[in-house]
Amino acid sequence: MKNNILGCLVAVIIVLSGCSTNEENTISLDKEQSYIPMVNLNGIIYSSYSLTKQEKYTVGEVFGEIKRRVPSSEIQKENLTSNSYDEGTVIYNVKEDNEIFLIEESLGVYSILNKIE
């Protein structure tokens, strides 16, 4: 009889803990989560997919600067906005391909921005 009651109590505790509305069990969209860095350039969304040294592409002229950083969960609707890069981050043209842009991550190392198809 005691084992039966103990078993029922354990089952009730498990069920109740699974139904908890404790804040630590909730998922918030406001928290930063993993995402693909994106930039809106003239209404076209580009994603940052890799890093390169200047060996693969020749850095061209300055295309522009990020004007506003938006939350990572937001889709960029305005020109020169990003869900990853801070305001003032410089975007460069590439001499070899007019559909690829570069963002300097550190001295001589660039993120490649490629159009999302």
Side-chain angles (χ1 to χ4, degrees), residues 12-53:
V12 168
I13 291 171
I14 290 172
V15 169
L16 290 177
S17 65
C19 296
S20 173
T21 58
N22 197 349
E23 230 178 274
E24 66 188 359
N25 291 333
T26 60
I27 297 173
S28 172
L29 293 178
D30 294 335
K31 292 183 181 178
E32 291 294 319
Q33 299 174 6
S34 63
Y35 58 92
I36 297 171
M38 291 185 278
V39 177
N40 182 324
L41 302 177
N42 295 329
I44 299 171
I45 303 296
Y46 288 79
S47 66
S48 173
Y49 67 92
S50 67
L51 295 176
T52 185
K53 295 196 176 192

Side-chain angles (χ1 to χ4, degrees), residues 45-78:
I45 303 296
Y46 288 79
S47 66
S48 173
Y49 67 92
S50 67
L51 295 176
T52 185
K53 295 196 176 192
Q54 288 179 286
E55 302 152 359
K56 188 171 181 178
Y57 297 108
T58 306
V59 178
E61 296 179 14
V62 172
F63 176 83
E65 292 182 7
I66 298 297
K67 300 295 180 200
R68 189 167 71 93
R69 183 175 178 165
V70 298
S72 61
S73 60
E74 189 175 309
I75 297 173
Q76 298 77 33
K77 297 178 183 173
E78 298 173 42

Side-chain angles (χ1 to χ4, degrees), residues 37 47-53 56-57 85 101-103 105 109-114:
S47 66
S48 173
Y49 67 92
S50 67
L51 295 176
T52 185
K53 295 196 176 192
K56 188 171 181 178
Y57 297 108
Y85 299 103
F101 298 89
L102 299 176
I103 289 186
E105 295 283 345
V109 178
Y110 296 83
S111 282
I112 301 169
L113 295 176
N114 198 8

